[in-house]
Structure formats: C-alpha cells, structure tokens
Amino acid sequence: MRFSRQMITVEEALHRLMGRLRVQEKEEVHITEAYGRTMAEDVYATDDLPHFDRSPLDGYAVRAIDTALATPELPVRLKVVETIAAGDVPAVALTEGCASRIMTGAMLPAGADAVIMFEQTEQPAALVAEVGIKRALRQGENVSRRGGEIAQGAVIVRAGEKVNAGTLAILATYGYARVPVVRKPRIGLLSTGVELLDIDQPLQPGKIRNSNTLMLSALIAEAGGIPLLFPNMPDDLGVAKGALAEHLKKVDVLVTSGGVSVGDYDVMAALTDEPDAELLFNRIAMRPGSPTTALVLHGKPIIALSGNPGACFLGFELFVRPAVQKLSGVQDVWSRKVKARLAVTYAKPCPYPRYLRGWLTEKDGFLYAQPDFNEKAGNLGTLKNSECFIVIPAGGSGKREGELVEVLTHTTPSWKREGLS
Amino acid sequence: MRFSRQMITVEEALHRLMGRLRVQEKEEVHITEAYGRTMAEDVYATDDLPHFDRSPLDGYAVRAIDTALATPELPVRLKVVETIAAGDVPAVALTEGCASRIMTGAMLPAGADAVIMFEQTEQPAALVAEVGIKRALRQGENVSRRGGEIAQGAVIVRAGEKVNAGTLAILATYGYARVPVVRKPRIGLLSTGVELLDIDQPLQPGKIRNSNTLMLSALIAEAGGIPLLFPNMPDDLGVAKGALAEHLKKVDVLVTSGGVSVGDYDVMAALTDEPDAELLFNRIAMRPGSPTTALVLHGKPIIALSGNPGACFLGFELFVRPAVQKLSGVQDVWSRKVKARLAVTYAKPCPYPRYLRGWLTEKDGFLYAQPDFNEKAGNLGTLKNSECFIVIPAGGSGKREGELVEVLTHTTPSWKREGLS
C-alpha cells in the first residue's frame, strides 16, 4: 500500500476521524480545579440574582414619592432612620419622610423604592440625622431588583462550554463548589525513529534530538487532554504492534509522530497494511503533511502525524486538536476559521491546498493574514511564531496580495503590526 | 478625600502603575515546566540546524552529474552501494555511477550532492542492486544543507517571549533541558466586605457569595502570576492596615476587590488617606470602574479593584493583566488593541470612555466588534462571554454601526458568527 495511497481532502479526513470519537463521561471536580475544563451538563440558577432588592451605589434609600418636589435649590429633608451596610438586614421599614443611609450592595429596607447617590445630597460624607435630597427620583431608580439579572431556574452555563474565569464567577455566585465537567481524554504520545535522541543527550552524527514529543505534549495539554508519554517506537513491526496494543489499553486516542511516509522503516505506514488495522486515511490533499495517517486498532483511534516538525504541527492543529476537543465535549469545535486579506502575494504553485503558518493583523478594520516567510515546512525555529494557518488553494497561481483567503486560527492573536502591506 | 478625587485617563493611570513595577529575577526550570513562562534571556543555537547534510525525503542519494542524461524513457542506472536509515552514519562514499538508498532525515553520504525521491525511480518499493533514475537532478536538489535552517550561534528564542509549544520544540532540539525564565510574580488577592459568603455557604438575606476572588485567581494564573489568597479584609481600618502589612511581605503586588467607592465602610478608599500610603490614582475616566484605585504601601503596589463584578473584571484586564505581564518580563504588553467596525449602533451617551464587553467577528475580511447586549456592568452571568472590550469614546453621541472603534482583546477569539449585522 506504500505507493498506492488514496488521496482525500482535509475535510473528508477530519470527518472520518471525528466519526470515531465519542465524548468522555462526566466527572465532578471542585470549582478551584474547573478552570479550562468543559461543562458536562447545563447548570441552573439556584436562586434569583440578586436574591434581594439591593442598592447599586452608596447613598440614601428613599420613597420616590417623598422626593417629588426636591431641587438643588430647595432640597427635601428626610429623617435618617438607619445606616445599612452591605450584608446587613435592614431593621427599619421606611415610612413617609424617612430615608436610610445605604451602601453599595446593601439590601433595601421595606418601603424604599429608590436610591439617591451621596453626591446628589447635602453633606454626603457626614452621618447626619436629616439628609437633604437635591433631586426628584423615579420609582425603582437606582434599585437592582431581585431577579433582575438572572431568574431562579435559568440556565447559567451550558454543556459544552469551556470554563473560564467568568464561568467561575457565576458558578461561585450560585454555590457550585463542585462542577460537572467532561473527563479529560488521555492522549497517548510516542515518536518513531531510532535517530531520535533525548533532550539531555549530546548530538551524534546522523542523529537529532526529539522535539516533537515535547511540542505535542504541550499542545495536547493546551487542547484539554492529558498527554501520556510512551517510549519511542521500535523499528520492528512485530515488536511495535505488541507495544501499541499495550499502550492503547491506557489511552483514548494514540498520537504518533514519524514513520508515516514511504521509507523502508516507516512502521506506522506499514501498520496500516496489517489485517487487524482499520485504515481511516493515509494520504491527504495538503502541503505539508500529506502522508498524515489515521487508523483504528483494537477499537482505539491512532493519529499518525508526520515526523517533520512543521507537518507534525499542522497535523496536530488540523486533526488532533479537534479530536481532543470533541472527546472533551467542546460544543463548537469548528469556530476557528475566518477570512482575511492576504498581506502579500504568494505565487508559489501547489497541486494541493497549502497551509502556510502566519498570523493575523489588522489595519483600519480590515483583517490581514501575514504568512511567515521564515517558514519552511520543517523549520523548527519558527514554529513558535505561528498563530494561524493561511490556506492557499490548490492551483497554479497562488493568491495575490489583498485577495481573501481562508485562515485557521490556533492561538490567541498577538495582533503583531510588522509585515502589514 | 472620598468626595474630592482627581480624575485621570486610563492611559495615565496605567503609566503611573507600570512605573512602579520591575521585572522579576531569573530562575531556571526544567523544559517540561517551561510552557507558558516568559524567557528571562536570549537563548542561542548550540549547533547548526540541521547539524549534518540530510535528506528531506525517502529516495536515493546520488551525484547530480551522474543523472545528467536521465529521462523517464531512458533511465540512468546506478549501483546501489548502501541503505542509509535516519540515524545511521553512512559507511560508503559515493563514487561515479553509484547511489545510496536513503530515508527521510538520514545523513547524506560523502560524495552525494542530490537526492531523488523513490517515486521518480524504477521499482521504488524494492531493495534493488541497481536503481533506475528517471530524471536529471541539479546539484543540491533535495538536500537539507547543514546550517540551512539555523546557524550555530544565532538567537533562537529572545528574552521576553512567552514559551509556547513551538518554543519547546526548538529548545528541545538544542538540548536546553533547563530553561531560563522569569520568576512568576506572587499576586496577593483578597476581597473586602462582610457581606461576602464562601462558595459552600448557604445564601443569607443581604449577603452574597464571593465570586470575585475565584475569578481573579483564575485570571491571575492565566496572566502568568501565582495567586496567593488571603482572608477577606476586615472593615476596621486599623486592623485592615495591620493585616495588609503582613500580606504585603509575601507578595509582589496585592490585588483587592471592593471597598474603593465612597461608602462609609470602603476600607481601601480610606486607606489612601493614610500618611504612609502613596496614592497613584483613585478616579479614572472610564465606565465601569471609575473608583479603581492604586497605591503603594510599604514599597509594594496595591491595585484596588471595584467590588462590582463587571468593573472588577474590566479593572483586571486594564491594570492587573498588564502589571502581571510586566512583572513576568513579557516584552510587548501592549499588542492587544485592534480597530474594528462596530456591529451595531451604541447610542448611549457617557461622559467618560465606556468599555463594553463583547467579541470580535469577521465578515468578508472586515473585523467587526459585537457588544454583548446582555451586559450590565455588574452582570455576573455574562462575564464568561467576554472576549474583548469595545471602547466607546466619551461624548453624547456614542458610535454608529460600521464606525471604527478601538477594541482591547483579552482572550482567544472564538470568531462567533451570531450578531453580525
């Protein structure tokens, strides 16, 4: 099969892979451990928010009707019956001609239906027995009504949402000390190739240090998976199959790098010819990384990325990140695509869609896509600068400066300014 | 001072704060712990990359001159003298009429100056004694030259860069098992207010659960700091000052929420009147969060955010995130601003710049800023949806649909589609 592979599109490859992945089960974690996790189910408001009528500012709670005639020149004077701090339960109900000094966030006293800010009263800083109100208030003015933000029973966070700092705020408000999240998928990870040295080994002629494992490990964690590192894969297919069978028991998906091409020792490519392996794809219409392969073995998906660092990185973003997200229960795996103007002409012809590393920039409200011209597919030194992939469609002419191109973003844009045309 | 504060711009406030912050010292961490950290110094290439001439594909290493007459119809036949796998040191130098079968990533044999891919030879899959070369090669064709990607001594990662997966790849390649990074700043965190309940406490009349501490803790960690949580601040100024003095010994910056306004119990506001406190600012021309305060006490900066969740969140993004980044050694703290077209008219007048939560969308290459219309400044339920702040300038007219506005991004855009005009 090495030299007679069937080529499919990126979209078809992804479709085949995603069809073999199921969302992991639910688990509960303490709210302090929930950041970055995906919600496993909808969560509801256990009470109204706010759960009492409250003052949004520092001032005096009043009956609006008592202030009807107030002006800066002729303030209405009301008797101050109480000071209500945030957290207090008011002791005195307001009656005609009375007001309560009230602090931000404090509960309104019975009878009050409006709040005037200190700055619109006389002597705001002083604790006075009688306050001068300098303007008329409408009923309900400056009152945060019970349930005004969220009504009891409303959905506050939906299944499939990723927990961010704001999610924690609303979960904390509603007392969710334990949060239902999707179990993190365990993503096995190994590299193939006897040429690979460990990070702390000195260089040897013909050998290189393994850079893909550490890179993929960081990317898997970033995407929401738990990377499980296995030893490098042996060259021998029989031994490799035995090792794989053991690894697969421990993971939800296995990701490998290297060994997918047409070389004599490409063990991952050879594996796809085995009778018990179900091949999903092994040739994709894309540059770089066309030999990127996926198969199912012992019921577990294996995504076999190219060993070339640039192709490995692209393969991760196109296939592994969506896979980890789907396993993690992320609702919208597909919202990372935008269109942008190509910042500079890219005229290099390519028979297949080419994914250029680059970044998004903005000028006068237009979105530009700037390819990284230090990039070669395998250029290890510039992987760190990539913020998106710019898709140059197949065909002889490439794309001209200013033409709209499709862009697949994969990280927080830094909105770099350099390189804008 | 409560009612006579001097108002300054967001930019001036930030300038004053940043002037009081210094980058933390260097520390070394193992490369597996370096993700997300900021580089403390430039790091150099310890060797050429690649460090030997190598083949970028699977095929045959040849002397280009021997292939000059090769065509598909009349292949040139060369004697196969060796098979070179990745990691091997070639044993045989190529002489006239000879070729070596060579795998991707393998070292070129002496004498070879080009590589032909299997697919352009006869019988590519077979180990043959004589290979038929079907086209002429140029000198250097399909050879990754020693140092072709990176020359020994070149800077591979610069001080101030944040370590991402790509950074790990190049550091691993060069054997940096230990990485010089900036020590994470310790950011103390406490809330003020006796009305605050813990997450696991039942609601009580007039009291609310503390949501800011957990939110800020997550945001601090996200920004690169170590959050240190202290007990809620007492109302009594004297007791509070004593507690603060102890806390400040343990942190690089202290962040508080609540108590900055003009209320009778606003302990952070009261603190700025103390003789040993150096006030940086306590009134900012912005909505929400104008009473956001910063001071220096016992030589340590304190950033006192509003207790209102929305204002607290904005205050974090405007002041605390840049502060944590500066302390962490991040080189470009300021690259998060873009201009975008306002997706819908926002006509509400405001005497000060208004920061609306929202998100960026894209349509036909134009960048749009979509305000979150579920937002009220204090609306806890929608904090989680915020991806940016849209700045509506001061003045009576607001901004119309399609007008360019300044946008401060604070997270990875999801490029949501809904809400586009």
Side-chain angles (χ1 to χ4, degrees):
Chain A
M1 187 120 84
R2 270 206 291 168
F3 290 96
S4 60
R5 299 178 175 195
Q6 196 203 343
M7 178 174 285
I8 61 172
T9 63
V10 167
E11 292 71 23
E12 170 63 17
L14 192 52
H15 178 74
R16 290 185 190 178
L17 175 63
M18 296 298 260
R20 307 308 288 262
L21 303 170
R22 296 287 168 265
V23 178
Q24 303 295 295
E25 65 272 26
K26 183 183 90 165
E27 66 180 6
E28 288 208 335
V29 296
H30 192 261
I31 190 169
T32 53
E33 304 295 323
Y35 179 87
R37 302 297 294 270
T38 311
M39 295 297 293
E41 52 192 36
D42 292 355
V43 165
Y44 298 86
T46 50
D47 209 321
D48 290 329
L49 183 70
H51 67 102
F52 51 85
D53 291 349
R54 77 180 170 199
S55 175
L57 44 80
D58 300 303
Y60 286 89
V62 298
R63 298 162 11 113
I65 196 170
D66 291 346
T67 68
L69 303 176
T71 64
E73 297 73 33
L74 280 174
V76 166
R77 293 191 200 278
L78 301 176
K79 183 182 169 201
V80 179
V81 296
E82 186 179 15
T83 293
I84 311 167
D88 285 354
V89 177
V92 186
L94 287 194
T95 52
E96 190 178 343
C98 292
S100 291
R101 191 171 171 91
I102 192 166
M103 303 304 138
T104 304
M107 186 187 247
L108 247 69
D113 60 8
V115 176
I116 187 160
M117 64 172 67
F118 277 151
E119 291 85 342
Q120 296 169 348
T121 67
E122 298 172 331
Q123 293 183 266
L127 288 163
V128 287
E130 205 177 68
V131 61
I133 307 289
K134 299 202 285 188
R135 74 168 181 85
L137 291 155
R138 298 184 313 277
Q139 271 201 353
E141 194 170 348
N142 295 330
V143 175
S144 299
R145 280 282 170 215
R146 176 176 183 144
E149 287 192 24
I150 300 176
Q152 185 171 357
V155 175
I156 52 168
V157 192
R158 293 197 181 275
E161 284 187 35
K162 216 161 175 183
V163 175
N164 63 25
T167 320
L168 295 178
I170 190 65
L171 289 172
T173 291
Y174 278 117
Y176 284 97
R178 298 195 69 77
V179 182
V181 296
V182 179
R183 183 172 69 70
K184 284 189 171 207
R186 297 155 303 182
I187 312 296
L189 187 52
L190 58 80
S191 291
T192 73
V194 294
E195 75 276 23
L196 297 178
L197 303 167
D198 286 338
I199 294 168
D200 48 8
Q201 286 185 283
L203 285 184
Q204 299 169 31
K207 294 186 189 275
I208 58 170
R209 294 196 190 88
N210 180 352
S211 60
N212 285 344
T213 296
L214 202 58
M215 175 181 78
L216 289 171
S217 176
L219 289 170
I220 287 166
E222 192 181 286
I226 300 172
L228 294 185
L229 273 58
F230 297 118
N232 288 357
M233 188 89 124
D235 263 356
D236 181 275
L237 182 60
V239 180
K241 279 191 70 175
L244 277 186
E246 285 307 305
H247 299 335
L248 286 170
K249 290 177 188 164
K250 299 170 189 153
V251 302
D252 301 303
V253 166
L254 182 69
V255 175
T256 69
S257 77
V260 292
S261 197
V262 295
D264 298 347
Y265 310 100
D266 280 340
V267 64
M268 296 309 299
L271 191 66
T272 63
D273 288 338
E274 293 293 296
D276 50 353
E278 181 195 351
L279 180 67
L280 299 179
F281 53 82
N282 65 353
R283 191 172 182 214
I284 305 175
M286 67 181 207
R287 289 282 183 279
S290 61
T292 302
T293 294
L295 61 144
V296 178
L297 190 65
H298 306 307
K300 296 282 178 70
I302 299 177
I303 308 173
L305 304 173
S306 172
N308 170 295
C312 179
F313 184 70
L314 173 64
F316 179 90
E317 293 298 340
L318 288 180
F319 302 108
V320 184
R321 187 183 295 272
V324 174
Q325 290 182 323
K326 177 158 185 193
L327 291 164
S328 305
V330 172
Q331 207 156 40
D332 189 3
V333 173
W334 300 116
S335 55
R336 301 179 292 143
K337 276 183 190 163
V338 289
K339 282 203 162 63
R341 297 171 175 211
L342 192 61
V344 284
T345 296
Y346 186 87
K348 191 172 163 184
C350 181
Y352 310 114
R354 183 179 291 277
Y355 289 74
L356 297 173
R357 299 200 296 269
W359 47 87
L360 289 174
T361 59
E362 170 274 326
K363 193 179 177 188
D364 300 331
F366 296 103
L367 206 49
Y368 285 86
Q370 173 67 49
D372 184 355
F373 284 114
N374 291 312
E375 179 205 357
K376 298 173 189 174
N379 197 330
L380 262 161
T382 59
L383 290 173
K384 68 187 173 68
N385 302 330
S386 181
E387 300 178 0
C388 65
F389 291 99
I390 302 163
V391 187
I392 306 294
S397 58
K399 281 277 187 184
R400 288 187 312 280
E401 176 184 330
E403 278 194 277
L404 280 183
V405 287
E406 195 170 72
V407 176
L408 183 73
T409 63
H410 64 76
T411 192
T412 307
S414 63
W415 301 111
K416 302 181 211 198
R417 297 287 155 169
E418 71 268 35
L420 260 191
S421 59
Chain B
M1 187 118 85
R2 272 204 291 166
F3 289 95
S4 60
R5 299 175 176 198
Q6 195 203 343
M7 179 173 285
I8 60 172
T9 63
V10 167
E11 291 71 24
E12 171 63 18
L14 192 52
H15 179 74
R16 290 185 190 178
L17 175 63
M18 295 297 261
R20 308 307 287 261
L21 303 170
R22 297 286 167 266
V23 178
Q24 303 296 296
E25 65 272 26
K26 182 182 89 165
E27 66 179 7
E28 289 208 335
V29 295
H30 191 262
I31 190 168
T32 54
E33 304 295 323
Y35 180 86
R37 303 295 296 269
T38 311
M39 296 296 293
E41 53 192 36
D42 293 354
V43 165
Y44 299 87
T46 50
D47 209 321
D48 290 328
L49 183 70
H51 67 101
F52 50 87
D53 292 348
R54 76 179 169 200
S55 175
L57 44 80
D58 300 303
Y60 287 89
V62 298
R63 299 165 6 118
I65 196 171
D66 291 346
T67 69
L69 302 176
T71 64
E73 297 73 31
L74 281 173
V76 166
R77 294 191 199 278
L78 301 175
K79 184 184 168 199
V80 180
V81 295
E82 186 179 15
T83 294
I84 311 166
D88 285 353
V89 177
V92 186
L94 288 194
T95 52
E96 192 178 341
C98 293
S100 292
R101 191 172 171 91
I102 192 166
M103 302 303 137
T104 303
M107 187 187 247
L108 248 67
D113 59 9
V115 176
I116 188 160
M117 64 172 66
F118 277 151
E119 291 85 341
Q120 295 169 347
T121 67
E122 296 173 332
Q123 293 183 268
L127 288 164
V128 288
E130 205 178 68
V131 60
I133 307 291
K134 299 203 283 187
R135 74 169 182 87
L137 291 155
R138 298 184 313 278
Q139 272 202 352
E141 195 168 348
N142 295 330
V143 175
S144 299
R145 280 282 170 213
R146 176 175 183 146
E149 289 193 22
I150 299 175
Q152 184 174 358
V155 175
I156 52 169
V157 193
R158 293 198 181 277
E161 285 186 34
K162 217 160 176 184
V163 175
N164 62 24
T167 320
L168 295 177
I170 190 66
L171 289 172
T173 291
Y174 278 118
Y176 284 97
R178 298 195 69 78
V179 182
V181 296
V182 178
R183 184 172 69 70
K184 284 188 170 208
R186 296 156 303 184
I187 312 295
L189 187 53
L190 58 82
S191 291
T192 72
V194 293
E195 76 276 23
L196 297 178
L197 302 168
D198 286 338
I199 294 168
D200 47 9
Q201 284 185 284
L203 284 184
Q204 299 170 32
K207 294 187 191 266
I208 58 170
R209 295 197 189 88
N210 179 352
S211 59
N212 285 344
T213 296
L214 202 57
M215 175 181 79
L216 289 171
S217 176
L219 289 170
I220 287 166
E222 191 180 286
I226 300 172
L228 293 186
L229 273 57
F230 297 120
N232 289 356
M233 189 88 126
D235 262 357
D236 181 273
L237 183 60
V239 179
K241 279 192 69 175
L244 277 186
E246 285 308 305
H247 299 335
L248 287 169
K249 289 177 188 165
K250 300 170 188 154
V251 301
D252 301 304
V253 166
L254 182 69
V255 175
T256 69
S257 77
V260 292
S261 198
V262 295
D264 298 347
Y265 309 100
D266 280 340
V267 63
M268 296 310 299
L271 191 66
T272 63
D273 288 338
E274 292 293 296
D276 50 352
E278 181 195 350
L279 180 67
L280 299 180
F281 54 83
N282 64 354
R283 192 173 184 214
I284 304 175
M286 68 180 203
R287 288 283 182 279
S290 61
T292 302
T293 294
L295 61 142
V296 178
L297 190 65
H298 306 308
K300 297 281 177 72
I302 299 177
I303 308 174
L305 304 174
S306 171
N308 170 295
C312 179
F313 184 70
L314 174 63
F316 179 90
E317 292 299 341
L318 288 180
F319 302 109
V320 184
R321 188 183 293 272
V324 175
Q325 290 183 323
K326 178 160 184 190
L327 290 164
S328 305
V330 172
Q331 206 157 40
D332 189 3
V333 173
W334 301 115
S335 54
R336 299 179 293 143
K337 277 184 189 163
V338 289
K339 282 203 162 66
R341 296 169 175 212
L342 193 60
V344 284
T345 295
Y346 186 88
K348 191 172 163 184
C350 182
Y352 310 113
R354 184 179 290 276
Y355 288 75
L356 297 173
R357 299 200 296 269
W359 47 85
L360 289 174
T361 59
E362 169 275 326
K363 194 179 178 189
D364 300 331
F366 296 103
L367 206 49
Y368 285 86
Q370 173 68 48
D372 185 353
F373 283 114
N374 290 311
E375 180 204 359
K376 299 173 189 174
N379 197 329
L380 262 163
T382 59
L383 290 174
K384 66 186 175 69
N385 303 331
S386 180
E387 300 179 359
C388 65
F389 291 99
I390 301 163
V391 187
I392 306 294
S397 58
K399 281 277 185 185
R400 289 186 312 281
E401 176 184 331
E403 278 194 279
L404 279 183
V405 288
E406 196 170 69
V407 177
L408 182 74
T409 63
H410 64 76
T411 192
T412 307
S414 62
W415 302 111
K416 300 181 212 201
R417 296 287 154 169
E418 71 267 39
L420 260 189
S421 58

